[in-house]
Amino acid sequence: MATSFAVKQTGLFTHNFDNIEQLESSLWEAADLLRANSKLTSSEYCMPVLGVIFLRHATNRFEAAKQQIATDQAAGKMPRRKPVKADFVRRRALFLPDVAHYDAIATLPKSANLGEALVAAMTAIEDDFEPLKNQLPKEYEGFANDLLENLIRTFNSEVLRKAGGDVFGRIYEYFLMKFAMQGAQDNGEFFTPPSLVQTIVNVIEPEHGIVFDPACGSGGMFVQTSHFLEARGEDTGHKVSFYGHEKTGTTIRLAKMNLAVHGLEGDIREANTFYEDPHPIWGKCDFVMANPPFNVDMVDAKVETDRRLPFGLPGVNKEKKVSNGNYLWISYFHSYLGPGGRAGFVMSSQASSAGNKETEVRRKIVETGDVDVMISIRSNFFYTRTVPCELWFFDRSRPKERRDKVLMLDARNIYRKVTRKIYDFSPEQLANLTAIVWLYRGQQQRFLDLVRSYFEQCYRELALAPSSLKKFDSDLGMLLEPLELFAKATAERRAVAGRAVLSSDERATATSPPASAGGSALAELKQSLAAYHTDRAALIAAAEDFCLRHCKPMPSTNDAQHTARKVLDGLAEQARGFVKQIDLLFKLANRATSAAGELAADERLAEFYDRRAVSKRLKQVEQERDRAAAQLKQLTYFHRQIAWLQERFPKAEFAAVLGLCKIVSREEIKAADWSLTSGRYVGVAPAEIDEEFDFEQALRDIHVELEDLNQEAVQLAALIRANLEAMI
């Protein structure tokens, strides 16, 4: 279970893509460039491009199902007959009419109207699959044919034709995220950042029954629930049923497409949750998850009699309106739960300590004993808003000993910088936060399993290190060979020049070939290389000894893990120093190469130096330096995760950590005006000197900010140019 949180290297893509992140980025850049050149807005472009992604994925699923059917028929698992729609449905694939095949559209002649073809494809799918009726985009006929042709080509590469459902699900989610960042569709409020959704899923663990989201947006809560179940090896369709409300028709279309892309179905109704309750599931939900709109005002006070508001209204103004709808949502989430249900939702940070009548509603909620966990999230996690927020968690199945306690977790100092304006959690940060909840619930084994998974990652990186270093050594040796030959040739030339018998006039004008400016650089490189080989041997020996003593088997008990960690501390320190050595060797190699290149500018020495070949070898050394360093940095990264958990929870038991977490009693909450703001209870951690300050990460963060500023400058320049052209 816990090991699913660990970062795993996958071989999803060969060809020109090292990993799915690179593919996602490449596709977005290509698609967004088409949008920019067409002068379309993000809102105009959003649905059509997501429709093309959907069509590409539907075709892939259809072809995969057809192949599975043929295989089953050949194996005698089903009769040899023409496949029917039910055969494809059983394999979670849409039965596509001929006009809806992506390949059929991609191979249309130049003279064809692609807009009409795409509309016909979407209509045919809707006619054959009721859940998508009137949901797919059909806004294609207003697009230029060349734009559609390029868009079709973008999603028709060989790697995408072979991509599976998990890949296209990620691509669809990635494009939703990017459109949300641009503010497409209702200011991007249709999309909840994955880090927040994953945190909610990890805490409430929706593993069975009815999963309900009364403000479902594009369906991210449902999709992440599916990911959670699949990571456990379970079939989503057999474990849960999805229900949702969404007040915007366009967003419902996004959600239904999102579910279909992931091979999922859900009952999503168009409804304003403040006034409507179309599903017969009140008081029956096993899990409620949501990111509702914050601080909605002017809700009609007539909702006071709504059975979903058992704690009363938070406050009504003289216009007979509820001035802030936050506690309406909070009440809904609680009231929809069945007797053993759990809820997790995003809420404005103001709500956890709001005063006046909201305090009274909050008191009643706390007194139910169902408030389980509160997590504070810093600002910049949302794509279109910079506000901080709180994650609230209810659990109606809590054991008696925890019913008057709440876990306060302040995660505001835990984040990863994605762009200058956007932060998230890394997979390991997310796993570590979840591990704190496990300890709070007394699930020590899950905590130990997570630490064990980090040791497994360290073991993998150590096992791969010798081969990556060997390749670096090999390429460095291949670079040294021509440098040494050139140094020898220049030395011989100097010796010959010194022995030559010249006339008096020749002696007056002749000069020896220049002294080897590269000699000292080459000598320093060779000297450092000798030290490197000694240290490399020591590092590999230490790594082998560690793996032998502490990784076979992997440490599973807390004592064994602490013992292994003490040894790993030294090994990680060696690895950090070794990364610096690798970097130094490359710098010296670069310096020696540059010096040799300057000498080779002398015509008398040029014949001894192949500048192009040496430059190529230097590039190879740089690439292998990067790979070897990255390998060792992975080791130190996972070592830091172990250290982070063990230093805060040395007994593998929950403990209050200043500035991070604390279990508070109902009496403490009462004394604090029923506040549920985590920071009010956990305190402020003292400033620490980061002895492992990651300078390179700091530089990467600066680079991220600079890149964002450059992109904004380009966009601003284009906007100014367009405005000037419009004025002329």
Side-chain angles (χ1 to χ4, degrees), residues 379-392:
S379 57
N380 293 90
F381 265 68
F382 291 100
Y383 299 136
T384 55
R385 293 169 288 173
T386 60
V387 295
C389 68
E390 303 271 350
L391 302 184
W392 292 52

Side-chain angles (χ1 to χ4, degrees), residues 7 72 78 80 91 147 158 217 338 384 424 510 602 622 626 647 709 723:
V7 173
D72 289 345
M78 64 177 291
R80 292 181 179 272
R91 291 163 178 81
L147 185 149
E158 181 182 355
T384 55
D424 72 357
D602 189 318
E622 182 178 21
D626 292 344
E647 288 169 2
L709 287 170
N723 289 340

Side-chain angles (χ1 to χ4, degrees), residues 4-46:
S4 65
F5 286 111
V7 173
K8 298 178 181 177
Q9 301 299 320
T10 57
L12 288 172
F13 300 101
T14 51
H15 307 288
N16 297 322
F17 299 103
D18 293 330
N19 51 49
I20 192 168
E21 287 84 3
Q22 186 177 348
L23 175 61
E24 290 167 339
S25 178
S26 175
L27 289 173
W28 172 259
E29 288 175 9
D32 196 47
L33 182 62
L34 294 175
R35 179 200 61 77
N37 290 337
S38 70
K39 297 184 180 179
L40 293 167
T41 66
S42 294
S43 294
E44 292 170 324
Y45 195 59
C46 175

Side-chain angles (χ1 to χ4, degrees), residues 178-204:
K178 297 296 284 188
F179 280 125
M181 287 181 179
Q182 291 187 344
Q185 303 295 338
D186 297 326
N187 201 30
E189 292 181 357
F190 61 85
F191 187 78
T192 306
S195 279
L196 300 186
V197 184
Q198 289 164 5
T199 304
I200 290 172
V201 169
N202 288 350
V203 173
I204 70 172

